[in-house]
Amino acid sequence: MAGIKHDTFETIGYDMRLMIATVTALTASAAAADTRNVTADIWVDNWFAMSANGTLVLEDSVPITTERSFNKETTTVSIDLPAVIAIEAKDFKENDTGLEYIGTNRQQMGDGGMIAQFKDAATGETLAVTDAGMKCLVVQFAPLDPSCADQATPVAGEGACGFVATDIPADWTAPDFDDSDWPAATVHSAADVSPKGGYDDVTWDDTAKLVWGASLKQDNTLLCRMTISD
């Protein structure tokens, strides 16, 4: 093999080993993925959007601007487990005061609430539920003082009607997003949440809990994350 240098053979050998290692890693990764058809039942007062492994898979079909927009949504999606479920949940508010029915005799702070369960579509096995193990970051909190609801002309950002808004991280739905410093979800009772339309359409697993931030009335927009294990 005149004309071919020894270091050329070393380069070819290295490239081959690298290619084999890459193919092996990809094959192992594919084999490790546990792809399941997962049925999700979710009820949120008032609106939500849900992603699985960073991809939007379900959005509330009733606009948040609809008065008393209480309903449940169900979908079945094929996802690789373990999967990170990310849910943006919003309680209705007319503006950043956090109030609803502004200027009427019903002017008030609304209250939120969320419950969800995820089941293997083939077997019915419960894979995950909403509970205190979730992480939920409140990104809109209002009003700062409940007395805002008693004002004749509440103005967002003034006095008792002040609010706290947090920037939403661009990649917060990604599986590798670091939510380690996010607070845990707060579990609330059905008596406190008073779930309405659509809630009773689902037979909820006994372990599924109604969750939200610490305040049902002042925590208006939340970003929540949980994992469905394989």
Side-chain angles (χ1 to χ4, degrees):
M1 293 192 172
I4 300 180
K5 296 182 179 180
H6 180 69
D7 58 356
T8 301
F9 282 111
E10 290 183 345
T11 300
I12 293 172
Y14 173 78
D15 289 343
M16 288 295 293
R17 290 194 298 273
L18 180 61
M19 182 175 67
I20 292 171
T22 301
V23 171
T24 300
L26 291 173
T27 302
S29 176
D34 179 11
T35 304
R36 302 263 199 114
N37 289 327
V38 176
T39 297
D41 297 305
I42 183 167
W43 179 93
V44 177
D45 178 359
N46 290 98
W47 179 92
F48 74 93
M50 184 181 79
S51 297
N53 289 331
T55 299
L56 181 67
V57 295
L58 181 62
E59 185 172 331
D60 199 326
S61 61
V62 180
I64 193 172
T65 52
T66 303
E67 184 175 336
R68 299 178 64 81
S69 57
F70 308 120
N71 64 298
K72 69 92 178 177
E73 298 285 352
T74 297
T75 191
T76 298
V77 59
S78 179
I79 54 178
D80 292 338
L81 302 186
V84 172
I85 300 298
I87 301 172
E88 180 181 11
K90 294 182 178 182
D91 181 34
F92 173 72
K93 58 181 176 62
E94 289 190 30
N95 55 39
D96 280 333
T97 61
L99 303 182
E100 56 188 21
Y101 311 126
I102 296 174
T104 74
N105 59 7
R106 294 189 296 162
Q107 179 173 296
Q108 63 180 3
M109 296 185 295
D111 54 359
M114 171 173 64
I115 186 171
Q117 63 186 15
F118 302 87
K119 295 188 174 187
D120 186 300
T123 66
E125 172 194 4
T126 298
L127 303 173
V129 297
T130 50
D131 58 20
M134 298 180 68
K135 295 294 190 75
C136 286
L137 178 70
V138 176
V139 294
Q140 206 282 347
F141 176 92
L144 292 182
D145 192 300
S147 64
C148 172
D150 300 323
Q151 295 189 6
T153 55
V155 178
E158 294 188 3
C161 297
F163 62 91
V164 177
T166 302
D167 291 338
I168 297 177
D171 59 345
W172 76 274
T173 66
D176 59 354
F177 178 80
D178 183 8
D179 59 14
S180 59
D181 62 346
W182 286 18
T186 300
V187 173
H188 297 275
S189 69
D192 288 336
V193 176
S194 299
K196 300 174 179 65
Y199 176 82
D200 291 328
D201 294 345
V202 178
T203 301
W204 298 103
D205 190 278
D206 290 340
T207 61
K209 305 299 182 183
L210 285 154
V211 297
W212 202 248
S215 174
L216 289 170
K217 292 188 174 182
Q218 290 167 285
D219 294 337
N220 299 308
T221 303
L222 289 76
L223 308 180
C224 295
R225 287 167 55 91
M226 60 186 291
T227 299
I228 302 178
S229 300
D230 55 2

